Coordinates of all heavy atoms in Angstrom, one line a residue:
E140 N 124.4 -116.1 -4.4 CA 124.7 -116.9 -3.3 C 126.1 -116.9 -2.9 O 126.4 -116.9 -1.7 CB 124.2 -118.3 -3.6 CG 122.7 -118.4 -3.7 CD 122.2 -119.8 -4.2 OE1 123.1 -120.7 -4.4 OE2 121.0 -120.0 -4.3
M141 N 127.0 -116.9 -3.9 CA 128.4 -116.9 -3.6 C 128.8 -115.6 -2.9 O 129.6 -115.6 -1.9 CB 129.2 -116.9 -4.9 CG 130.7 -116.5 -4.8 SD 131.8 -117.8 -4.4 CE 131.9 -118.7 -5.9
I142 N 128.3 -114.5 -3.3 CA 128.6 -113.2 -2.7 C 128.1 -113.2 -1.2 O 128.8 -112.7 -0.3 CB 128.1 -112.0 -3.5 CG1 128.7 -112.0 -4.9 CG2 128.4 -110.7 -2.8 CD1 128.0 -111.0 -5.8
Q143 N 126.9 -113.6 -1.0 CA 126.4 -113.6 0.3 C 127.2 -114.5 1.2 O 127.5 -114.2 2.4 CB 124.9 -114.1 0.3 CG 124.2 -114.0 1.7 CD 124.2 -112.6 2.2 OE1 123.6 -111.7 1.6 NE2 124.7 -112.3 3.4
F144 N 127.6 -115.7 0.7 CA 128.5 -116.6 1.5 C 129.8 -115.9 1.8 O 130.2 -116.0 3.0 CB 128.8 -117.8 0.6 CG 129.8 -118.7 1.3 CD1 129.4 -119.6 2.3 CD2 131.1 -118.7 0.8 CE1 130.4 -120.4 2.9 CE2 132.1 -119.5 1.4 CZ 131.7 -120.4 2.4
L145 N 130.4 -115.2 0.9 CA 131.7 -114.5 1.2 C 131.5 -113.4 2.2 O 132.3 -113.2 3.0 CB 132.3 -114.0 -0.1 CG 132.8 -115.1 -1.1 CD1 133.1 -114.5 -2.5 CD2 134.0 -115.8 -0.5
I146 N 130.4 -112.7 2.1 CA 130.1 -111.6 3.1 C 130.0 -112.2 4.5 O 130.6 -111.7 5.4 CB 128.8 -110.9 2.7 CG1 129.0 -110.0 1.5 CG2 128.2 -110.0 3.9 CD1 127.7 -109.4 0.9
D147 N 129.2 -113.3 4.6 CA 129.0 -114.0 5.9 C 130.4 -114.5 6.4 O 130.7 -114.3 7.6 CB 128.0 -115.1 5.8 CG 126.6 -114.6 5.4 OD1 126.3 -113.4 5.6 OD2 125.8 -115.4 5.0
E148 N 131.1 -115.2 5.5 CA 132.4 -115.8 6.0 C 133.4 -114.7 6.4 O 134.3 -115.0 7.2 CB 133.0 -116.6 4.8 CG 132.3 -117.9 4.6 CD 132.5 -118.9 5.8 OE1 133.7 -119.1 6.2 OE2 131.5 -119.3 6.3
N149 N 133.3 -113.6 5.8 CA 134.3 -112.5 6.2 C 133.8 -111.6 7.2 O 134.4 -110.6 7.5 CB 134.7 -111.7 4.9 CG 135.6 -112.5 4.0 OD1 136.8 -112.6 4.2 ND2 135.0 -113.2 3.0
G150 N 132.6 -111.8 7.7 CA 132.0 -111.0 8.8 C 131.8 -109.6 8.4 O 131.9 -108.7 9.2
L151 N 131.3 -109.4 7.1 CA 131.1 -108.1 6.6 C 129.6 -107.8 6.6 O 128.8 -108.7 6.6 CB 131.6 -108.0 5.1 CG 133.1 -108.1 4.9 CD1 133.3 -108.2 3.4 CD2 133.8 -106.9 5.5
T152 N 129.3 -106.5 6.5 CA 127.9 -106.1 6.3 C 127.9 -105.6 4.8 O 128.9 -105.4 4.2 CB 127.5 -104.9 7.2 OG1 128.3 -103.8 6.8 CG2 127.6 -105.3 8.6
K153 N 126.7 -105.5 4.2 CA 126.6 -105.0 2.9 C 127.2 -103.6 2.8 O 127.8 -103.3 1.8 CB 125.1 -105.0 2.4 CG 124.5 -106.3 2.3 CD 123.1 -106.3 1.8 CE 122.2 -106.5 3.0 NZ 120.8 -106.7 2.6
S154 N 127.0 -102.8 3.8 CA 127.5 -101.4 3.8 C 129.0 -101.4 3.8 O 129.7 -100.7 3.1 CB 127.0 -100.7 5.0 OG 125.7 -100.5 5.0
Q155 N 129.6 -102.3 4.6 CA 131.1 -102.4 4.6 C 131.6 -102.9 3.3 O 132.6 -102.3 2.8 CB 131.6 -103.4 5.7 CG 131.3 -102.9 7.1 CD 131.5 -104.0 8.1 OE1 131.3 -105.1 7.9 NE2 132.0 -103.5 9.3
L156 N 131.0 -103.9 2.7 CA 131.4 -104.3 1.3 C 131.3 -103.2 0.3 O 132.2 -103.0 -0.5 CB 130.6 -105.6 0.9 CG 131.0 -106.1 -0.5 CD1 132.5 -106.5 -0.5 CD2 130.1 -107.3 -0.9
A157 N 130.2 -102.5 0.3 CA 130.0 -101.4 -0.6 C 131.1 -100.3 -0.5 O 131.6 -99.9 -1.5 CB 128.6 -100.8 -0.4
K158 N 131.4 -100.0 0.8 CA 132.5 -99.0 1.0 C 133.8 -99.5 0.4 O 134.6 -98.8 -0.2 CB 132.7 -98.7 2.5 CG 131.7 -97.7 3.0 CD 132.0 -97.3 4.4 CE 131.0 -96.3 4.9 NZ 131.3 -96.0 6.3
Q159 N 134.1 -100.8 0.7 CA 135.4 -101.4 0.2 C 135.4 -101.4 -1.3 O 136.5 -101.2 -1.9 CB 135.6 -102.8 0.8 CG 135.8 -102.8 2.2 CD 135.8 -104.2 2.8 OE1 135.8 -105.2 2.1 NE2 135.9 -104.2 4.2
L160 N 134.3 -101.6 -2.0 CA 134.2 -101.7 -3.4 C 134.0 -100.3 -4.1 O 134.0 -100.2 -5.3 CB 133.1 -102.7 -3.9 CG 133.3 -104.1 -3.4 CD1 132.1 -104.9 -3.9 CD2 134.6 -104.7 -3.9
K161 N 133.7 -99.3 -3.2 CA 133.4 -98.0 -3.7 C 132.2 -97.9 -4.6 O 132.2 -97.4 -5.7 CB 134.7 -97.3 -4.4 CG 135.8 -97.2 -3.4 CD 137.0 -96.6 -4.1 CE 138.0 -96.4 -3.0 NZ 139.4 -96.5 -3.4
V162 N 131.2 -98.6 -4.1 CA 129.9 -98.6 -4.8 C 128.8 -98.3 -3.8 O 129.1 -98.3 -2.6 CB 129.6 -100.0 -5.5 CG1 130.6 -100.3 -6.6 CG2 129.5 -101.1 -4.5
S163 N 127.6 -98.1 -4.2 CA 126.5 -97.9 -3.2 C 126.0 -99.2 -2.5 O 126.1 -100.3 -3.1 CB 125.3 -97.2 -3.9 OG 124.6 -98.2 -4.8
R164 N 125.5 -99.0 -1.3 CA 125.0 -100.2 -0.6 C 123.8 -100.7 -1.4 O 123.6 -101.9 -1.4 CB 124.6 -99.8 0.8 CG 124.2 -101.0 1.6 CD 123.5 -100.6 3.0 NE 122.3 -99.8 2.8 CZ 121.1 -100.4 2.5 NH1 121.0 -101.6 2.2 NH2 120.1 -99.6 2.4
Q165 N 123.0 -99.8 -2.0 CA 121.9 -100.2 -2.8 C 122.3 -101.2 -3.9 O 121.6 -102.1 -4.2 CB 121.1 -99.0 -3.3 CG 119.8 -99.4 -4.0 CD 118.8 -100.1 -3.0 OE1 118.6 -99.6 -1.9 NE2 118.3 -101.2 -3.4
L166 N 123.4 -100.9 -4.6 CA 123.8 -101.7 -5.7 C 124.1 -103.1 -5.1 O 123.7 -104.1 -5.7 CB 125.1 -101.1 -6.3 CG 125.7 -102.0 -7.4 CD1 124.7 -102.3 -8.5 CD2 127.0 -101.3 -8.0
V167 N 124.8 -103.2 -4.0 CA 125.2 -104.5 -3.4 C 123.9 -105.2 -3.0 O 123.7 -106.4 -3.3 CB 126.1 -104.3 -2.2 CG1 126.3 -105.7 -1.4 CG2 127.4 -103.8 -2.6
T168 N 122.9 -104.5 -2.4 CA 121.6 -105.1 -2.1 C 120.9 -105.6 -3.3 O 120.4 -106.7 -3.3 CB 120.8 -104.1 -1.3 OG1 121.5 -103.7 -0.1 CG2 119.4 -104.7 -1.0
D169 N 120.9 -104.8 -4.4 CA 120.2 -105.2 -5.6 C 120.8 -106.5 -6.2 O 120.1 -107.4 -6.7 CB 120.2 -104.1 -6.6 CG 119.2 -103.0 -6.2 OD1 118.3 -103.2 -5.3 OD2 119.2 -101.9 -6.9
I170 N 122.1 -106.5 -6.2 CA 122.8 -107.7 -6.7 C 122.5 -109.0 -5.9 O 122.1 -110.0 -6.4 CB 124.3 -107.5 -6.8 CG1 124.6 -106.5 -8.0 CG2 125.0 -108.8 -7.1 CD1 126.0 -106.0 -8.0
L171 N 122.5 -108.8 -4.6 CA 122.3 -109.9 -3.7 C 120.8 -110.4 -3.8 O 120.5 -111.6 -3.6 CB 122.6 -109.6 -2.2 CG 124.1 -109.4 -1.9 CD1 124.2 -108.8 -0.5 CD2 124.8 -110.7 -2.1
N172 N 119.9 -109.5 -4.1 CA 118.5 -109.8 -4.2 C 118.1 -110.1 -5.6 O 116.9 -110.2 -6.0 CB 117.6 -108.7 -3.6 CG 117.7 -108.6 -2.1 OD1 117.9 -109.6 -1.5 ND2 117.7 -107.4 -1.6
Y173 N 119.1 -110.3 -6.5 CA 118.8 -110.7 -7.9 C 118.0 -109.7 -8.7 O 117.2 -110.0 -9.5 CB 118.2 -112.1 -8.0 CG 119.0 -113.2 -7.4 CD1 118.9 -113.6 -6.1 CD2 119.9 -113.8 -8.2 CE1 119.6 -114.6 -5.6 CE2 120.7 -114.9 -7.7 CZ 120.5 -115.2 -6.4 OH 121.3 -116.2 -5.8
R174 N 118.2 -108.4 -8.3 CA 117.4 -107.3 -9.0 C 118.3 -106.6 -10.1 O 117.8 -105.9 -10.9 CB 116.9 -106.3 -8.0 CG 115.8 -106.8 -7.2 CD 115.1 -105.7 -6.4 NE 116.0 -105.1 -5.4 CZ 115.9 -105.2 -4.1 NH1 114.9 -105.9 -3.6 NH2 116.8 -104.6 -3.3
R175 N 119.6 -106.8 -10.0 CA 120.6 -106.2 -10.9 C 121.6 -107.2 -11.3 O 122.0 -108.1 -10.5 CB 121.3 -105.0 -10.3 CG 120.3 -103.9 -9.9 CD 120.5 -102.6 -10.4 NE 121.7 -102.1 -11.0 CZ 122.3 -101.0 -10.7 NH1 121.9 -100.3 -9.6 NH2 123.4 -100.6 -11.4
N176 N 122.1 -107.1 -12.6 CA 123.2 -108.0 -13.0 C 124.5 -107.4 -12.5 O 124.6 -106.2 -12.2 CB 123.2 -108.0 -14.6 CG 122.1 -108.9 -15.1 OD1 121.9 -110.0 -14.7 ND2 121.5 -108.4 -16.2
I177 N 125.5 -108.3 -12.5 CA 126.8 -107.8 -12.1 C 127.6 -107.4 -13.3 O 127.7 -108.2 -14.2 CB 127.6 -109.0 -11.4 CG1 126.8 -109.5 -10.1 CG2 128.9 -108.6 -11.0 CD1 127.4 -110.7 -9.5
S178 N 128.0 -106.2 -13.3 CA 128.8 -105.6 -14.4 C 130.2 -106.2 -14.4 O 130.7 -106.8 -13.4 CB 128.9 -104.1 -14.3 OG 129.7 -103.7 -13.2
K179 N 130.9 -106.1 -15.5 CA 132.3 -106.6 -15.6 C 133.2 -105.8 -14.6 O 134.0 -106.5 -14.0 CB 132.8 -106.4 -17.0 CG 132.2 -107.3 -18.0 CD 132.8 -107.0 -19.4 CE 132.1 -107.9 -20.4 NZ 132.7 -107.7 -21.8
T180 N 132.9 -104.6 -14.4 CA 133.7 -103.8 -13.4 C 133.4 -104.4 -12.0 O 134.4 -104.5 -11.3 CB 133.2 -102.3 -13.5 OG1 133.5 -101.8 -14.8 CG2 134.0 -101.5 -12.5
M181 N 132.2 -104.7 -11.7 CA 131.8 -105.2 -10.4 C 132.5 -106.6 -10.2 O 132.9 -106.9 -9.1 CB 130.3 -105.3 -10.2 CG 129.9 -105.7 -8.8 SD 130.4 -104.4 -7.6 CE 129.2 -104.6 -6.4
V182 N 132.4 -107.4 -11.3 CA 133.1 -108.7 -11.2 C 134.5 -108.6 -10.8 O 135.0 -109.3 -10.0 CB 132.9 -109.5 -12.6 CG1 133.9 -110.7 -12.7 CG2 131.5 -109.9 -12.8
N183 N 135.2 -107.7 -11.5 CA 136.6 -107.5 -11.2 C 136.9 -106.9 -9.8 O 137.8 -107.4 -9.1 CB 137.3 -106.5 -12.2 CG 137.3 -107.2 -13.6 OD1 137.5 -108.4 -13.7 ND2 137.2 -106.4 -14.6
K184 N 136.0 -106.0 -9.3 CA 136.1 -105.5 -7.9 C 135.9 -106.6 -6.9 O 136.7 -106.8 -5.9 CB 135.1 -104.4 -7.7 CG 135.5 -103.1 -8.4 CD 134.4 -102.1 -8.0 CE 134.8 -100.7 -8.7 NZ 133.9 -99.6 -8.2
L185 N 134.9 -107.5 -7.1 CA 134.6 -108.6 -6.2 C 135.8 -109.6 -6.2 O 136.2 -110.1 -5.2 CB 133.3 -109.3 -6.6 CG 132.1 -108.5 -6.3 CD1 130.9 -109.1 -7.0 CD2 131.8 -108.5 -4.8
A186 N 136.3 -109.9 -7.4 CA 137.4 -110.9 -7.5 C 138.6 -110.4 -6.8 O 139.3 -111.1 -6.1 CB 137.7 -111.1 -9.0
E187 N 138.9 -109.1 -7.0 CA 140.1 -108.5 -6.3 C 139.9 -108.5 -4.8 O 140.8 -108.9 -4.0 CB 140.3 -107.1 -6.8 CG 141.6 -106.5 -6.2 CD 141.9 -105.1 -6.8 OE1 141.6 -104.9 -8.0 OE2 142.4 -104.3 -6.1
R188 N 138.7 -108.1 -4.3 CA 138.4 -108.0 -2.9 C 138.5 -109.3 -2.2 O 139.1 -109.5 -1.1 CB 137.0 -107.4 -2.7 CG 136.4 -107.5 -1.3 CD 137.3 -106.9 -0.2 NE 136.8 -107.2 1.1 CZ 137.1 -108.2 1.9 NH1 137.9 -109.2 1.4 NH2 136.7 -108.3 3.1
F189 N 138.0 -110.4 -2.8 CA 137.9 -111.7 -2.2 C 139.0 -112.6 -2.7 O 139.1 -113.8 -2.4 CB 136.6 -112.3 -2.4 CG 135.5 -111.6 -1.7 CD1 134.5 -110.9 -2.3 CD2 135.4 -111.7 -0.3 CE1 133.5 -110.2 -1.7 CE2 134.4 -111.0 0.4 CZ 133.5 -110.3 -0.3
C190 N 140.0 -112.1 -3.5 CA 141.1 -112.9 -4.0 C 140.7 -114.2 -4.7 O 141.2 -115.2 -4.4 CB 142.1 -113.2 -2.9 SG 142.7 -111.7 -2.1
L191 N 139.7 -114.0 -5.6 CA 139.2 -115.1 -6.4 C 139.3 -114.8 -7.9 O 139.5 -113.7 -8.3 CB 137.7 -115.4 -6.0 CG 137.5 -115.9 -4.6 CD1 136.0 -115.9 -4.3 CD2 138.1 -117.3 -4.4
N192 N 139.2 -115.8 -8.7 CA 139.2 -115.7 -10.1 C 137.9 -115.0 -10.5 O 136.8 -115.3 -10.0 CB 139.3 -117.1 -10.8 CG 139.5 -117.0 -12.2 OD1 138.8 -116.3 -13.0 ND2 140.5 -117.7 -12.7
P193 N 137.9 -114.0 -11.4 CA 136.7 -113.3 -11.8 C 135.6 -114.2 -12.3 O 134.4 -113.9 -12.2 CB 137.2 -112.4 -12.9 CG 138.6 -112.1 -12.6 CD 139.1 -113.4 -12.0
S194 N 136.0 -115.4 -12.9 CA 135.0 -116.3 -13.4 C 134.0 -116.8 -12.3 O 132.9 -117.2 -12.5 CB 135.6 -117.5 -14.1 OG 136.4 -118.3 -13.2
A195 N 134.5 -116.7 -11.0 CA 133.6 -117.1 -9.9 C 132.4 -116.2 -9.8 O 131.4 -116.6 -9.2 CB 134.4 -117.1 -8.6
F196 N 132.5 -115.0 -10.3 CA 131.4 -114.1 -10.2 C 130.7 -113.8 -11.6 O 129.8 -113.0 -11.7 CB 131.9 -112.7 -9.6 CG 132.5 -112.9 -8.3 CD1 133.9 -112.9 -8.2 CD2 131.7 -113.0 -7.2 CE1 134.5 -113.0 -6.9 CE2 132.3 -113.2 -5.9 CZ 133.7 -113.2 -5.8
S197 N 131.1 -114.5 -12.6 CA 130.7 -114.3 -13.9 C 129.6 -115.2 -14.4 O 129.2 -115.1 -15.5 CB 131.8 -114.4 -14.9 OG 132.8 -113.5 -14.6
K198 N 129.1 -116.1 -13.6 CA 128.1 -117.0 -14.0 C 126.8 -116.4 -14.2 O 126.4 -115.5 -13.4 CB 128.0 -118.1 -12.9 CG 129.3 -118.7 -12.5 CD 129.3 -120.2 -12.5 CE 130.5 -120.9 -12.0 NZ 131.7 -120.6 -12.5
P199 N 126.1 -116.7 -15.3 CA 124.8 -116.1 -15.5 C 123.7 -116.5 -14.5 O 123.8 -117.6 -14.0 CB 124.4 -116.6 -16.9 CG 125.2 -117.8 -17.2 CD 126.4 -117.7 -16.3
Y200 N 122.8 -115.6 -14.2 CA 121.7 -115.9 -13.3 C 120.5 -115.1 -13.7 O 120.6 -114.1 -14.3 CB 122.1 -115.7 -11.8 CG 122.5 -114.2 -11.5 CD1 121.6 -113.3 -11.1 CD2 123.8 -113.8 -11.7 CE1 121.9 -112.0 -10.8 CE2 124.2 -112.5 -11.5 CZ 123.2 -111.6 -11.0 OH 123.6 -110.3 -10.8
K201 N 119.4 -115.6 -13.3 CA 118.1 -115.0 -13.7 C 117.7 -114.0 -12.6 O 117.8 -114.2 -11.4 CB 117.0 -116.1 -13.8 CG 115.7 -115.5 -14.3 CD 114.7 -116.6 -14.6 CE 113.5 -116.1 -15.2 NZ 112.5 -117.1 -15.6
L202 N 117.3 -112.8 -13.1 CA 116.9 -111.7 -12.2 C 115.5 -112.0 -11.7 O 114.7 -112.5 -12.5 CB 117.0 -110.4 -12.9 CG 118.3 -109.9 -13.3 CD1 118.2 -108.6 -14.1 CD2 119.3 -109.8 -12.2
K203 N 115.2 -111.6 -10.5 CA 113.8 -111.7 -10.0 C 113.1 -110.4 -10.3 O 113.7 -109.4 -10.4 CB 113.9 -111.9 -8.4 CG 114.5 -113.2 -8.0 CD 114.4 -113.4 -6.5 CE 115.0 -114.7 -6.1 NZ 115.1 -114.8 -4.6
N204 N 111.8 -110.5 -10.3 CA 110.9 -109.4 -10.5 C 111.3 -108.6 -11.7 O 111.0 -107.4 -11.7 CB 110.9 -108.5 -9.3 CG 110.4 -109.2 -8.1 OD1 109.6 -110.0 -8.1 ND2 111.0 -108.9 -6.9
S205 N 111.8 -109.2 -12.7 CA 112.1 -108.4 -13.9 C 110.8 -108.2 -14.7 O 110.2 -109.2 -15.1 CB 113.2 -109.0 -14.8 OG 113.0 -110.4 -15.0
K206 N 110.4 -107.0 -14.9 CA 109.2 -106.7 -15.6 C 109.5 -106.2 -17.0 O 110.4 -105.4 -17.1 CB 108.4 -105.6 -14.8 CG 108.0 -106.1 -13.4 CD 107.3 -104.9 -12.7 CE 107.1 -105.3 -11.2 NZ 106.6 -104.2 -10.4
P207 N 108.7 -106.7 -17.9 CA 108.9 -106.1 -19.3 C 108.6 -104.7 -19.3 O 107.7 -104.2 -18.6 CB 108.0 -107.0 -20.2 CG 107.0 -107.6 -19.2 CD 107.6 -107.6 -17.9
K208 N 109.4 -103.9 -20.2 CA 109.1 -102.5 -20.3 C 107.8 -102.3 -21.0 O 107.5 -103.0 -22.0 CB 110.3 -101.9 -21.1 CG 111.6 -101.9 -20.3 CD 112.6 -101.1 -21.1 CE 113.9 -101.2 -20.4 NZ 115.0 -100.5 -21.1
K209 N 107.1 -101.3 -20.5 CA 105.8 -100.9 -21.2 C 106.1 -100.1 -22.4 O 107.0 -99.3 -22.5 CB 104.9 -100.1 -20.2 CG 104.4 -100.9 -19.1 CD 103.5 -100.1 -18.2 CE 103.0 -100.9 -17.0 NZ 102.2 -100.1 -16.2
I210 N 105.4 -100.4 -23.5 CA 105.5 -99.7 -24.7 C 104.4 -98.7 -24.8 O 103.3 -99.0 -24.6 CB 105.4 -100.7 -25.9 CG1 106.5 -101.7 -25.9 CG2 105.5 -99.9 -27.2 CD1 106.4 -102.8 -26.9
R211 N 104.9 -97.4 -25.0 CA 103.9 -96.3 -25.0 C 103.3 -96.3 -26.4 O 104.0 -96.4 -27.4 CB 104.6 -95.0 -24.8 CG 105.0 -94.8 -23.3 CD 105.7 -93.5 -23.1 NE 104.8 -92.4 -23.4 CZ 105.1 -91.2 -23.4 NH1 106.3 -90.8 -23.0 NH2 104.3 -90.2 -23.7
Q212 N 102.0 -96.2 -26.4 CA 101.3 -96.1 -27.7 C 100.9 -94.7 -27.9 O 100.5 -94.0 -27.0 CB 100.0 -97.0 -27.7 CG 100.3 -98.5 -27.5 CD 99.1 -99.3 -27.5 OE1 98.0 -98.8 -27.5 NE2 99.3 -100.6 -27.5
T213 N 101.1 -94.3 -29.2 CA 100.7 -92.9 -29.5 C 99.4 -92.9 -30.2 O 99.1 -93.9 -30.9 CB 101.8 -92.3 -30.4 OG1 102.0 -93.1 -31.5 CG2 103.1 -92.1 -29.7
A214 N 98.7 -91.8 -30.1 CA 97.3 -91.8 -30.7 C 97.4 -91.4 -32.1 O 98.2 -90.8 -32.6 CB 96.4 -90.8 -29.9

């Protein structure tokens, strides 16, 4: 929610933010849609881009649609 707020407040698109952070647009989309965790590297990039303390982006959150990995059974 914080990242989406900052994107909106700064008049950015996901593509523009991705270019500025030198990451894929898909990564930004996945983070915004709670499909991927934010890495330490990404936390630092976001903190630098938006001039905020890294702890603003380090809060734990639950991922959506996280499916448990299937275990292959051998015969």
Side-chain angles (χ1 to χ4, degrees):
E140 293 174 0
M141 163 87 77
I142 300 169
Q143 186 62 59
F144 172 80
L145 291 168
I146 288 172
D147 295 341
E148 284 295 305
N149 288 275
L151 295 170
T152 65
K153 290 181 259 189
S154 294
Q155 290 169 329
L156 179 61
K158 277 186 183 178
Q159 291 173 8
L160 299 178
K161 297 181 177 145
V162 298
S163 70
R164 187 190 61 76
Q165 186 61 50
L166 175 59
V167 173
T168 299
D169 286 348
I170 290 170
L171 290 173
N172 290 325
Y173 299 92
R174 290 190 297 245
R175 300 234 347 228
N176 284 317
I177 301 175
S178 68
K179 288 180 184 179
T180 302
M181 187 64 150
V182 165
N183 291 327
K184 287 181 179 190
L185 288 165
E187 186 176 323
R188 165 58 186 88
F189 292 110
C190 301
L191 293 171
N192 189 308
S194 65
F196 302 101
S197 302
K198 308 227 184 311
Y200 60 94
K201 189 173 181 175
L202 296 178
K203 292 182 182 175
N204 299 326
S205 50
K206 298 176 186 174
K208 292 183 181 179
K209 291 183 181 180
I210 299 173
R211 290 180 57 184
Q212 295 181 357
T213 56

